[in-house]
Amino acid sequence: MKITTIYVYPIKALRGISLQSAFIGPQGIMFDRRFMLFQIQDDGNLRKMQHSSFPQVALFEQAFLPAGSGERRDECTTVEVRYHPPPTKSKDGTAAAGEEDNETLHVPLNPDSSKLSPVDIDLHRSVTTAYRMGDPYDAWFTSRFGFPVALIFIGDGRRPVLGNSLIPQTTQPTPPSTKSSSWLSSLSSYLPGKEATKRDETPWLTFTDVAPLLVTSTSSLDNVSSRLPASTPMPMYKFRPNLVVDGQEQPAFAEDFWAELLVTPAPRTHLPPEDRTSFSKKEEKKEMTRWRLLLTGNCGRCTSLNVDYETGRLAEGELGTVLKKLMVDRRVDKGAKWTPIFGRYAFLGDVGGYWEELGGVAVSVGDEVEVVRRNEERSVWDWPGLGSS
């Protein structure tokens, strides 16, 4: 199999950014779910904003801005957010495109948390202290949603992984490949400098739901699309994965039993010379490394699958029934018996020793993926209060 798509979501719930390459550390793809939106309720409490309860979040697009003139290409420090107003309907029922919003919002990826107000955040009962970005960020989102909204930065917050099943039980490091490989810096135009990614003994999360990474396969997506009219196939972006594999020669939903994947970097010689510049031996070694993903839990699905990203509402017609269609035969996790499953949650393999020196791994579209360990039975969900029966 090969990796076909890489997605990152700097601001949780907004449209994802598709990358050709990325860095992965113990907390997932660099900058994934570093920020999150919350509705400020009348009593001052914060309510998390996700597709299932606030489908209008799908109207917001985000993109990494390239570094300024004279800066290193891997020191991009900003994500740009753009709002796409939904179509309007006239009295006769015809739809017209919404008036384009030309005012974008620029959010710094590394704000100084010492200048921000701390706030306790409870996401799926996993609690941490994060930071309110305040204005002008809150005001920009508030004006477009039509109700008070707060943009929250995870900062140095660390959310614990709850339950027992998701935490990897064993981590087996893979020695670096002895094959030479050129350094890929194409991701530099998207992602900034290196973060501290040394692994603690106990895994922890940013604003990712329950694990650092989500893996899906195109063979399973094809199965979902086969349940819909040929004119309206199911797009993968609605499943909001981080890594998509092509599932070549794998039946639909084979990933239900995947326990460990080995990823081998593909040759980077197809890139132009300016994207094959070696910054350092350390970075080149990171690019050469074969690495593993430990898949530990099933991803239960909700009404977010039925959201129309163009209207910010539940989709009309067959695309608005995807969750119902999966209910027929995809409620396969005994610990979440009412929830259909699509995709697997994953953690990066052991980062001790040489991994600690590298601080993570590089991943690119086209990298080879091999299933090296399978479970005999499906995982059983045990995150308390989330998707349980």
Side-chain angles (χ1 to χ4, degrees):
M1 299 185 293
K2 294 183 183 298
I3 292 176
T4 63
T5 317
I6 302 169
Y7 288 108
V8 64
Y9 313 83
I11 303 176
K12 185 181 179 74
L14 306 193
R15 296 181 187 180
I17 302 172
S18 178
L19 300 176
Q20 287 297 306
S21 303
F23 283 121
I24 295 181
Q27 277 65 59
I29 293 180
M30 188 182 289
F31 299 124
D32 193 37
R33 277 87 167 191
R34 174 164 287 201
F35 300 88
M36 187 171 177
L37 294 174
F38 289 81
Q39 181 189 35
I40 305 173
Q41 299 182 297
D42 292 341
D43 58 5
N45 289 327
L46 299 178
R47 180 187 179 191
K48 67 178 184 290
M49 296 179 65
Q50 297 182 268
H51 287 76
S52 56
S53 50
F54 294 90
Q56 59 269 49
V57 295
L59 299 172
F60 292 82
E61 178 185 10
Q62 54 187 330
F64 291 116
L65 294 183
S69 176
E71 298 180 42
R72 273 181 51 156
R73 296 182 65 207
D74 62 343
E75 291 182 348
C76 181
T77 58
T78 306
V79 62
E80 180 182 69
V81 185
R82 184 179 297 275
Y83 175 59
H84 296 280
T88 58
K89 284 190 177 181
S90 61
K91 293 181 179 180
D92 62 3
T94 58
E99 184 176 350
E100 191 62 29
D101 185 348
N102 293 320
E103 182 186 353
T104 59
L105 178 69
H106 290 179
V107 180
L109 288 166
N110 291 294
D112 183 355
S113 58
S114 68
K115 299 179 180 179
L116 303 177
S117 299
V119 60
D120 291 335
I121 295 297
D122 182 340
L123 179 58
H124 307 316
R125 298 191 181 185
S126 176
V127 180
T128 192
T129 298
Y131 302 89
R132 289 192 59 164
M133 291 292 289
D135 288 334
Y137 312 101
D138 292 3
W140 191 89
F141 282 109
T142 294
S143 67
R144 284 148 182 83
F145 280 105
F147 52 78
V149 173
L151 179 64
I152 307 297
F153 171 52
I154 188 68
D156 54 5
R158 297 186 172 196
R159 295 177 48 240
V161 180
L162 304 185
N164 297 311
S165 64
L166 281 167
I167 298 176
Q169 299 303 306
T170 59
T171 54
Q172 301 173 354
T174 304
S177 169
T178 57
K179 297 180 180 180
S180 63
S181 175
S182 58
W183 164 248
L184 172 64
S185 62
S186 61
L187 76 164
S188 303
S189 59
Y190 296 101
L191 301 179
K194 316 303 177 288
E195 293 181 321
T197 53
K198 294 183 179 180
R199 178 114 175 208
D200 293 339
E201 292 183 3
T202 302
W204 55 272
L205 308 172
T206 56
F207 284 143
T208 55
D209 274 339
V210 297
L213 295 159
L214 178 62
V215 179
T216 61
S217 79
T218 56
S219 55
S220 297
L221 181 71
D222 291 342
N223 178 280
V224 178
S225 291
S226 70
R227 307 170 190 226
L228 300 167
S231 59
T232 56
M234 182 68 176
M236 182 65 86
Y237 62 76
K238 289 191 177 183
F239 289 100
R240 304 186 67 77
N242 293 114
L243 301 175
V244 182
V245 299
D246 59 16
Q248 185 178 3
E249 299 180 359
Q250 296 278 341
F253 308 115
E255 62 269 23
D256 287 1
F257 298 93
W258 293 352
E260 191 169 344
L261 302 178
L262 176 64
V263 181
T264 302
R268 312 305 191 199
T269 55
H270 65 285
L271 295 171
E274 60 270 22
D275 284 340
R276 300 204 304 267
T277 302
S278 178
F279 290 141
S280 70
K281 290 296 183 181
K282 177 180 176 181
E283 290 167 330
E284 185 173 0
K285 188 177 181 182
K286 183 185 300 184
E287 176 62 17
M288 293 163 51
T289 303
R290 301 169 70 207
W291 49 278
R292 295 175 187 254
L293 280 175
L294 305 178
L295 284 68
T296 59
N298 303 313
C299 183
R301 295 300 175 169
C302 64
T303 55
S304 63
L305 299 184
N306 298 337
V307 172
D308 185 333
Y309 278 49
E310 299 303 317
T311 65
R313 295 187 290 268
L314 294 181
E316 298 179 354
E318 291 289 300
L319 282 175
T321 66
V322 174
L323 184 67
K324 182 178 180 180
K325 292 178 184 296
L326 291 179
M327 289 281 191
V328 174
D329 60 348
R330 289 300 300 157
R331 292 185 291 180
V332 295
D333 191 319
K334 296 177 181 179
K337 65 180 183 180
W338 306 114
T339 306
I341 299 302
F342 187 101
R344 292 276 283 165
Y345 288 117
F347 292 76
L348 183 63
D350 197 325
V351 292
Y354 73 87
W355 286 96
E356 191 169 286
E357 176 190 355
L358 296 179
V361 295
V363 61
S364 293
V365 170
D367 286 355
E368 296 181 1
V369 179
E370 178 186 358
V371 182
V372 294
R373 183 162 56 91
R374 289 178 170 84
N375 297 322
E376 294 184 1
E377 297 181 354
R378 289 186 176 92
S379 306
V380 178
W381 187 258
D382 68 352
W383 186 288
L386 182 63
S388 61
S389 56

